[in-house]
Short mmCIF file of all heavy atoms in Angstrom, two decimals:
data_model
loop_
_atom_site.label_atom_id
_atom_site.label_comp_id
_atom_site.label_asym_id
_atom_site.label_seq_id
_atom_site.Cartn_x
_atom_site.Cartn_y
_atom_site.Cartn_z
N MET A 255 -34.78 12.80 49.03
CA MET A 255 -34.31 11.54 48.51
C MET A 255 -34.87 10.36 49.31
O MET A 255 -35.23 9.37 48.72
CB MET A 255 -32.76 11.50 48.52
CG MET A 255 -32.13 12.38 47.48
SD MET A 255 -30.33 12.21 47.38
CE MET A 255 -29.85 13.14 48.83
N ILE A 256 -34.92 10.54 50.62
CA ILE A 256 -35.39 9.47 51.47
C ILE A 256 -36.84 9.14 51.16
O ILE A 256 -37.23 8.00 51.06
CB ILE A 256 -35.19 9.79 52.97
CG1 ILE A 256 -33.68 9.71 53.27
CG2 ILE A 256 -35.95 8.86 53.87
CD1 ILE A 256 -33.32 10.18 54.66
N THR A 257 -37.68 10.18 51.01
CA THR A 257 -39.09 9.95 50.72
C THR A 257 -39.30 9.38 49.35
O THR A 257 -40.35 8.82 49.03
CB THR A 257 -39.91 11.24 50.90
OG1 THR A 257 -39.41 12.24 50.03
CG2 THR A 257 -39.88 11.71 52.34
N ASN A 258 -38.27 9.47 48.48
CA ASN A 258 -38.34 8.88 47.15
C ASN A 258 -37.64 7.51 47.09
O ASN A 258 -37.33 7.03 46.01
CB ASN A 258 -37.76 9.81 46.09
CG ASN A 258 -38.66 10.98 45.84
OD1 ASN A 258 -39.86 10.82 45.74
ND2 ASN A 258 -38.09 12.16 45.75
N HIS A 259 -37.38 6.95 48.25
CA HIS A 259 -36.84 5.59 48.39
C HIS A 259 -35.42 5.41 47.84
O HIS A 259 -35.06 4.37 47.39
CB HIS A 259 -37.78 4.56 47.77
CG HIS A 259 -39.18 4.69 48.26
ND1 HIS A 259 -39.53 4.34 49.56
CD2 HIS A 259 -40.31 5.14 47.70
CE1 HIS A 259 -40.82 4.58 49.72
NE2 HIS A 259 -41.30 5.09 48.61
N VAL A 260 -34.64 6.49 47.90
CA VAL A 260 -33.22 6.38 47.55
C VAL A 260 -32.51 5.63 48.66
O VAL A 260 -32.81 5.84 49.84
CB VAL A 260 -32.60 7.80 47.35
CG1 VAL A 260 -31.10 7.70 47.13
CG2 VAL A 260 -33.28 8.51 46.20
N GLU A 261 -31.63 4.74 48.31
CA GLU A 261 -30.88 3.97 49.30
C GLU A 261 -30.17 4.89 50.28
O GLU A 261 -29.57 5.90 49.86
CB GLU A 261 -29.82 3.05 48.64
CG GLU A 261 -30.40 1.90 47.87
CD GLU A 261 -31.00 0.84 48.79
OE1 GLU A 261 -30.44 0.61 49.88
OE2 GLU A 261 -32.05 0.28 48.41
N PRO A 262 -30.22 4.57 51.57
CA PRO A 262 -29.57 5.45 52.57
C PRO A 262 -28.07 5.67 52.29
O PRO A 262 -27.56 6.75 52.52
CB PRO A 262 -29.74 4.67 53.89
CG PRO A 262 -30.95 3.84 53.65
CD PRO A 262 -30.95 3.47 52.20
N GLN A 263 -27.38 4.70 51.76
CA GLN A 263 -25.97 4.84 51.44
C GLN A 263 -25.76 5.90 50.36
O GLN A 263 -24.77 6.63 50.37
CB GLN A 263 -25.33 3.51 51.03
CG GLN A 263 -25.31 2.49 52.10
CD GLN A 263 -26.57 1.68 52.19
OE1 GLN A 263 -27.60 1.96 51.57
NE2 GLN A 263 -26.53 0.60 52.98
N GLU A 264 -26.69 5.97 49.39
CA GLU A 264 -26.59 6.97 48.35
C GLU A 264 -26.84 8.37 48.92
O GLU A 264 -26.18 9.33 48.54
CB GLU A 264 -27.58 6.67 47.22
CG GLU A 264 -27.55 7.65 46.08
CD GLU A 264 -26.23 7.67 45.33
OE1 GLU A 264 -25.43 6.73 45.44
OE2 GLU A 264 -26.01 8.66 44.60
N VAL A 265 -27.80 8.48 49.82
CA VAL A 265 -28.05 9.76 50.49
C VAL A 265 -26.79 10.20 51.24
O VAL A 265 -26.38 11.35 51.15
CB VAL A 265 -29.27 9.67 51.43
CG1 VAL A 265 -29.48 10.96 52.20
CG2 VAL A 265 -30.55 9.27 50.67
N GLN A 266 -26.20 9.26 51.96
CA GLN A 266 -24.97 9.56 52.72
C GLN A 266 -23.90 10.07 51.77
O GLN A 266 -23.25 11.07 52.03
CB GLN A 266 -24.47 8.30 53.43
CG GLN A 266 -23.11 8.49 54.07
CD GLN A 266 -22.41 7.20 54.39
OE1 GLN A 266 -22.92 6.12 54.14
NE2 GLN A 266 -21.21 7.32 54.94
N ARG A 267 -23.68 9.38 50.66
CA ARG A 267 -22.64 9.76 49.71
C ARG A 267 -22.90 11.13 49.13
O ARG A 267 -22.01 11.97 49.09
CB ARG A 267 -22.57 8.72 48.58
CG ARG A 267 -21.40 8.94 47.63
CD ARG A 267 -21.41 7.94 46.48
NE ARG A 267 -22.53 8.17 45.57
CZ ARG A 267 -22.58 9.14 44.65
NH1 ARG A 267 -21.59 10.01 44.58
NH2 ARG A 267 -23.63 9.27 43.86
N ARG A 268 -24.12 11.38 48.72
CA ARG A 268 -24.44 12.67 48.09
C ARG A 268 -24.34 13.84 49.08
O ARG A 268 -23.97 14.95 48.69
CB ARG A 268 -25.83 12.64 47.48
CG ARG A 268 -25.90 11.77 46.25
CD ARG A 268 -27.25 11.86 45.63
NE ARG A 268 -27.37 10.92 44.52
CZ ARG A 268 -28.38 10.96 43.66
NH1 ARG A 268 -29.31 11.88 43.78
NH2 ARG A 268 -28.42 10.08 42.70
N LEU A 269 -24.68 13.61 50.33
CA LEU A 269 -24.63 14.65 51.33
C LEU A 269 -23.27 14.76 52.02
O LEU A 269 -23.03 15.62 52.85
CB LEU A 269 -25.72 14.47 52.39
CG LEU A 269 -27.14 14.56 51.83
CD1 LEU A 269 -28.15 14.29 52.93
CD2 LEU A 269 -27.40 15.94 51.23
N ARG A 270 -22.39 13.83 51.66
CA ARG A 270 -21.03 13.79 52.17
C ARG A 270 -20.94 13.64 53.68
O ARG A 270 -20.10 14.22 54.34
CB ARG A 270 -20.23 15.00 51.71
CG ARG A 270 -20.11 15.06 50.19
CD ARG A 270 -19.32 16.24 49.77
NE ARG A 270 -19.23 16.21 48.31
CZ ARG A 270 -18.66 17.17 47.61
NH1 ARG A 270 -18.14 18.22 48.21
NH2 ARG A 270 -18.61 17.09 46.31
N HIS A 271 -21.90 12.84 54.23
CA HIS A 271 -21.81 12.54 55.65
C HIS A 271 -20.71 11.51 55.85
O HIS A 271 -20.54 10.63 55.03
CB HIS A 271 -23.15 11.95 56.15
CG HIS A 271 -24.23 12.95 56.17
ND1 HIS A 271 -25.55 12.60 56.10
CD2 HIS A 271 -24.22 14.32 56.28
CE1 HIS A 271 -26.31 13.69 56.18
NE2 HIS A 271 -25.54 14.73 56.25
N ARG A 272 -20.03 11.65 56.95
CA ARG A 272 -18.91 10.75 57.24
C ARG A 272 -19.35 9.33 57.48
O ARG A 272 -18.68 8.37 57.09
CB ARG A 272 -18.10 11.27 58.40
CG ARG A 272 -16.79 10.51 58.59
CD ARG A 272 -15.83 11.18 59.50
NE ARG A 272 -16.46 11.55 60.75
CZ ARG A 272 -15.82 12.13 61.76
NH1 ARG A 272 -14.57 12.46 61.63
NH2 ARG A 272 -16.44 12.43 62.86
N THR A 273 -20.52 9.16 58.16
CA THR A 273 -21.02 7.82 58.43
C THR A 273 -22.50 7.73 58.04
O THR A 273 -23.23 8.72 58.01
CB THR A 273 -20.88 7.47 59.92
OG1 THR A 273 -21.75 8.33 60.69
CG2 THR A 273 -19.44 7.62 60.40
N LEU A 274 -22.93 6.50 57.81
CA LEU A 274 -24.33 6.25 57.51
C LEU A 274 -25.19 6.55 58.75
O LEU A 274 -26.31 7.02 58.61
CB LEU A 274 -24.48 4.78 57.09
CG LEU A 274 -25.91 4.36 56.67
CD1 LEU A 274 -26.44 5.24 55.56
CD2 LEU A 274 -25.89 2.91 56.26
N ARG A 275 -24.67 6.30 59.90
CA ARG A 275 -25.39 6.57 61.15
C ARG A 275 -25.79 8.07 61.20
O ARG A 275 -26.92 8.41 61.58
CB ARG A 275 -24.60 6.19 62.36
CG ARG A 275 -25.35 6.45 63.67
CD ARG A 275 -24.61 5.93 64.86
NE ARG A 275 -24.49 4.50 64.91
CZ ARG A 275 -25.41 3.67 65.41
NH1 ARG A 275 -26.51 4.16 65.94
NH2 ARG A 275 -25.22 2.39 65.41
N ILE A 276 -24.89 8.97 60.83
CA ILE A 276 -25.20 10.39 60.84
C ILE A 276 -26.38 10.69 59.92
O ILE A 276 -27.31 11.41 60.29
CB ILE A 276 -23.97 11.24 60.43
CG1 ILE A 276 -22.90 11.17 61.50
CG2 ILE A 276 -24.35 12.70 60.12
CD1 ILE A 276 -21.55 11.76 61.07
N THR A 277 -26.34 10.14 58.74
CA THR A 277 -27.42 10.35 57.78
C THR A 277 -28.75 9.85 58.32
O THR A 277 -29.75 10.56 58.31
CB THR A 277 -27.13 9.60 56.43
OG1 THR A 277 -25.85 10.02 55.96
CG2 THR A 277 -28.19 9.89 55.39
N LEU A 278 -28.73 8.61 58.84
CA LEU A 278 -29.98 8.03 59.32
C LEU A 278 -30.54 8.76 60.53
O LEU A 278 -31.72 9.03 60.63
CB LEU A 278 -29.79 6.56 59.62
CG LEU A 278 -29.48 5.70 58.43
CD1 LEU A 278 -29.11 4.30 58.84
CD2 LEU A 278 -30.68 5.70 57.47
N GLU A 279 -29.66 9.08 61.49
CA GLU A 279 -30.14 9.77 62.68
C GLU A 279 -30.63 11.18 62.37
O GLU A 279 -31.49 11.70 63.05
CB GLU A 279 -29.05 9.77 63.75
CG GLU A 279 -28.83 8.41 64.33
CD GLU A 279 -27.71 8.34 65.37
OE1 GLU A 279 -26.91 9.28 65.47
OE2 GLU A 279 -27.63 7.31 66.05
N THR A 280 -30.10 11.78 61.34
CA THR A 280 -30.50 13.13 60.96
C THR A 280 -31.81 13.16 60.20
O THR A 280 -32.64 14.02 60.42
CB THR A 280 -29.40 13.79 60.10
OG1 THR A 280 -28.17 13.79 60.84
CG2 THR A 280 -29.75 15.21 59.74
N TYR A 281 -32.01 12.17 59.34
CA TYR A 281 -33.16 12.23 58.42
C TYR A 281 -34.22 11.18 58.62
O TYR A 281 -35.20 11.15 57.88
CB TYR A 281 -32.66 12.18 56.97
CG TYR A 281 -31.80 13.39 56.66
CD1 TYR A 281 -30.42 13.30 56.56
CD2 TYR A 281 -32.38 14.64 56.50
CE1 TYR A 281 -29.65 14.41 56.32
CE2 TYR A 281 -31.61 15.77 56.25
CZ TYR A 281 -30.26 15.64 56.16
OH TYR A 281 -29.49 16.76 55.92
N VAL A 282 -34.10 10.33 59.61
CA VAL A 282 -35.09 9.28 59.82
C VAL A 282 -36.47 9.86 60.09
O VAL A 282 -37.49 9.28 59.76
CB VAL A 282 -34.66 8.29 60.93
CG1 VAL A 282 -34.81 8.93 62.30
CG2 VAL A 282 -35.45 7.02 60.85
N HIS A 283 -36.52 11.08 60.60
CA HIS A 283 -37.82 11.72 60.86
C HIS A 283 -38.61 12.01 59.57
O HIS A 283 -39.83 12.26 59.63
CB HIS A 283 -37.65 12.99 61.68
CG HIS A 283 -36.94 14.08 60.93
ND1 HIS A 283 -35.56 14.16 60.89
CD2 HIS A 283 -37.41 15.13 60.20
CE1 HIS A 283 -35.22 15.21 60.16
NE2 HIS A 283 -36.31 15.81 59.73
N TRP A 284 -37.96 11.92 58.43
CA TRP A 284 -38.65 12.15 57.16
C TRP A 284 -39.49 10.92 56.78
O TRP A 284 -40.38 11.02 55.93
CB TRP A 284 -37.69 12.49 56.03
CG TRP A 284 -37.19 13.89 56.14
CD1 TRP A 284 -36.02 14.27 56.66
CD2 TRP A 284 -37.86 15.07 55.74
NE1 TRP A 284 -35.90 15.65 56.64
CE2 TRP A 284 -37.02 16.17 56.06
CE3 TRP A 284 -39.10 15.34 55.16
CZ2 TRP A 284 -37.38 17.48 55.79
CZ3 TRP A 284 -39.47 16.65 54.89
CH2 TRP A 284 -38.61 17.70 55.19
N LEU A 285 -39.17 9.77 57.34
CA LEU A 285 -39.95 8.56 57.06
C LEU A 285 -41.28 8.63 57.83
O LEU A 285 -41.26 9.02 59.00
CB LEU A 285 -39.20 7.30 57.48
CG LEU A 285 -37.89 7.02 56.73
CD1 LEU A 285 -37.17 5.85 57.41
CD2 LEU A 285 -38.19 6.69 55.29
N PRO A 286 -42.36 8.24 57.23
CA PRO A 286 -43.61 8.19 57.99
C PRO A 286 -43.46 7.24 59.17
O PRO A 286 -42.85 6.17 59.02
CB PRO A 286 -44.63 7.65 56.98
CG PRO A 286 -44.03 7.86 55.65
CD PRO A 286 -42.54 7.85 55.86
N LYS A 287 -43.96 7.61 60.33
CA LYS A 287 -43.77 6.79 61.52
C LYS A 287 -44.28 5.39 61.34
O LYS A 287 -43.70 4.44 61.88
CB LYS A 287 -44.41 7.44 62.73
CG LYS A 287 -43.63 8.61 63.23
CD LYS A 287 -43.98 8.93 64.66
CE LYS A 287 -43.13 10.13 65.04
NZ LYS A 287 -42.66 10.07 66.38
N ARG A 288 -45.32 5.20 60.56
CA ARG A 288 -45.84 3.84 60.36
C ARG A 288 -44.84 2.95 59.63
O ARG A 288 -44.94 1.73 59.69
CB ARG A 288 -47.15 3.88 59.61
CG ARG A 288 -47.04 4.36 58.19
CD ARG A 288 -48.39 4.38 57.49
NE ARG A 288 -48.27 4.82 56.14
CZ ARG A 288 -48.25 6.07 55.75
NH1 ARG A 288 -48.35 7.05 56.63
NH2 ARG A 288 -48.10 6.41 54.47
N ASP A 289 -43.86 3.56 58.92
CA ASP A 289 -42.86 2.80 58.20
C ASP A 289 -41.62 2.55 59.05
O ASP A 289 -40.67 1.88 58.59
CB ASP A 289 -42.43 3.52 56.92
CG ASP A 289 -43.54 3.58 55.91
OD1 ASP A 289 -44.52 2.79 56.03
OD2 ASP A 289 -43.49 4.40 54.98
N TRP A 290 -41.58 3.09 60.27
CA TRP A 290 -40.41 2.91 61.12
C TRP A 290 -40.47 1.56 61.80
O TRP A 290 -41.26 1.34 62.70
CB TRP A 290 -40.37 3.95 62.24
CG TRP A 290 -40.05 5.34 61.84
CD1 TRP A 290 -40.02 5.88 60.62
CD2 TRP A 290 -39.72 6.40 62.77
NE1 TRP A 290 -39.69 7.21 60.68
CE2 TRP A 290 -39.52 7.53 61.99
CE3 TRP A 290 -39.60 6.46 64.14
CZ2 TRP A 290 -39.16 8.76 62.56
CZ3 TRP A 290 -39.26 7.67 64.69
CH2 TRP A 290 -39.04 8.80 63.90
N PRO A 291 -39.61 0.62 61.41
CA PRO A 291 -39.52 -0.60 62.20
C PRO A 291 -38.77 -0.24 63.47
O PRO A 291 -38.04 0.73 63.53
CB PRO A 291 -38.69 -1.54 61.31
CG PRO A 291 -37.95 -0.65 60.39
CD PRO A 291 -38.75 0.64 60.26
N SER A 292 -38.95 -1.03 64.50
CA SER A 292 -38.19 -0.75 65.71
C SER A 292 -36.71 -0.95 65.40
O SER A 292 -36.35 -1.90 64.71
CB SER A 292 -38.64 -1.64 66.86
OG SER A 292 -38.47 -2.98 66.53
N GLY A 293 -35.87 -0.05 65.87
CA GLY A 293 -34.44 -0.13 65.64
C GLY A 293 -34.05 0.12 64.18
O GLY A 293 -33.15 -0.50 63.66
N VAL A 294 -34.71 1.04 63.50
CA VAL A 294 -34.49 1.28 62.08
C VAL A 294 -33.02 1.61 61.78
O VAL A 294 -32.45 1.11 60.82
CB VAL A 294 -35.44 2.33 61.51
CG1 VAL A 294 -35.17 3.70 62.07
CG2 VAL A 294 -35.36 2.40 60.00
N VAL A 295 -32.42 2.43 62.59
CA VAL A 295 -31.01 2.84 62.32
C VAL A 295 -30.11 1.61 62.44
O VAL A 295 -29.30 1.35 61.53
CB VAL A 295 -30.56 3.94 63.30
CG1 VAL A 295 -29.08 4.22 63.15
CG2 VAL A 295 -31.37 5.22 63.05
N ASP A 296 -30.26 0.84 63.50
CA ASP A 296 -29.41 -0.34 63.66
C ASP A 296 -29.66 -1.36 62.57
O ASP A 296 -28.71 -1.98 62.06
CB ASP A 296 -29.66 -0.97 65.05
CG ASP A 296 -29.10 -0.12 66.16
OD1 ASP A 296 -28.11 0.62 65.93
OD2 ASP A 296 -29.63 -0.19 67.28
N SER A 297 -30.91 -1.54 62.16
CA SER A 297 -31.15 -2.56 61.13
C SER A 297 -30.57 -2.13 59.78
O SER A 297 -30.02 -2.97 59.05
CB SER A 297 -32.66 -2.85 61.00
OG SER A 297 -33.35 -1.72 60.53
N VAL A 298 -30.66 -0.87 59.43
CA VAL A 298 -30.08 -0.42 58.15
C VAL A 298 -28.55 -0.48 58.20
O VAL A 298 -27.91 -0.89 57.25
CB VAL A 298 -30.56 1.00 57.81
CG1 VAL A 298 -29.82 1.57 56.62
CG2 VAL A 298 -32.06 0.99 57.54
N LEU A 299 -27.97 -0.11 59.34
CA LEU A 299 -26.52 -0.18 59.46
C LEU A 299 -26.05 -1.63 59.37
O LEU A 299 -25.03 -1.93 58.73
CB LEU A 299 -26.06 0.45 60.76
CG LEU A 299 -26.14 1.96 60.82
CD1 LEU A 299 -25.82 2.47 62.22
CD2 LEU A 299 -25.22 2.60 59.82
N SER A 300 -26.75 -2.54 60.02
CA SER A 300 -26.38 -3.97 59.93
C SER A 300 -26.49 -4.48 58.51
O SER A 300 -25.61 -5.18 58.05
CB SER A 300 -27.31 -4.78 60.86
OG SER A 300 -27.14 -4.43 62.18
N SER A 301 -27.54 -4.09 57.83
CA SER A 301 -27.72 -4.52 56.46
C SER A 301 -26.62 -3.98 55.55
O SER A 301 -26.08 -4.69 54.71
CB SER A 301 -29.08 -4.02 55.97
OG SER A 301 -29.46 -4.60 54.80
N ALA A 302 -26.23 -2.71 55.77
CA ALA A 302 -25.14 -2.12 54.97
C ALA A 302 -23.84 -2.81 55.26
O ALA A 302 -23.06 -3.04 54.35
CB ALA A 302 -25.07 -0.62 55.27
N ALA A 303 -23.59 -3.14 56.51
CA ALA A 303 -22.34 -3.82 56.87
C ALA A 303 -22.28 -5.21 56.24
O ALA A 303 -21.20 -5.61 55.75
CB ALA A 303 -22.23 -3.93 58.40
N GLU A 304 -23.39 -5.93 56.18
CA GLU A 304 -23.42 -7.23 55.54
C GLU A 304 -23.11 -7.14 54.06
O GLU A 304 -22.37 -7.95 53.53
CB GLU A 304 -24.76 -7.88 55.76
CG GLU A 304 -24.99 -8.35 57.18
CD GLU A 304 -26.42 -8.86 57.40
OE1 GLU A 304 -27.18 -9.05 56.41
OE2 GLU A 304 -26.76 -9.09 58.55
N ARG A 305 -23.65 -6.11 53.39
CA ARG A 305 -23.40 -5.93 51.97
C ARG A 305 -21.94 -5.58 51.70
O ARG A 305 -21.39 -5.91 50.67
CB ARG A 305 -24.30 -4.84 51.39
CG ARG A 305 -25.68 -5.34 51.13
CD ARG A 305 -26.48 -4.31 50.38
NE ARG A 305 -27.63 -3.98 51.24
CZ ARG A 305 -28.15 -2.81 51.40
NH1 ARG A 305 -27.70 -1.78 50.72
NH2 ARG A 305 -29.19 -2.62 52.18
N ALA A 306 -21.31 -4.87 52.63
CA ALA A 306 -19.91 -4.45 52.47
C ALA A 306 -18.97 -5.61 52.58
O ALA A 306 -17.87 -5.57 51.99
CB ALA A 306 -19.54 -3.38 53.52
N ASN A 307 -19.37 -6.66 53.29
CA ASN A 307 -18.48 -7.84 53.45
C ASN A 307 -18.65 -8.74 52.30
O ASN A 307 -18.44 -9.17 51.47
CB ASN A 307 -18.82 -8.60 54.73
CG ASN A 307 -18.44 -7.80 55.96
OD1 ASN A 307 -17.51 -7.07 55.94
ND2 ASN A 307 -19.22 -7.94 56.98
#
């Protein structure tokens, strides 16, 4: 799902991970390294938190 650009929150929901951090830390290695911005986990979590508010 990640390599097909599914939103991380959707991956989390489908895999029934308790937190988005678990999903990202588990599967971030599936992203090509050239696509990894520095702090990818923190940036996605921050973005998700902003959308939730």
Side-chain angles (χ1 to χ4, degrees):
M255 287 185 284
I256 289 173
T257 59
N258 288 318
H259 308 290
V260 174
E261 289 289 324
Q263 295 87 348
E264 180 64 17
V265 176
Q266 174 198 359
R267 187 183 69 76
R268 289 185 186 192
L269 296 177
R270 298 180 179 176
H271 290 156
R272 189 166 51 179
T273 66
L274 183 56
R275 182 174 294 273
I276 291 169
T277 305
L278 294 173
E279 289 177 347
T280 302
Y281 296 105
V282 74
H283 66 276
W284 285 99
L285 296 172
K287 286 200 180 218
R288 67 180 180 275
D289 293 343
W290 288 14
S292 60
V294 67
V295 172
D296 289 332
S297 66
V298 171
L299 288 173
S300 296
S301 193
E304 288 174 10
R305 281 189 241 143
N307 291 327

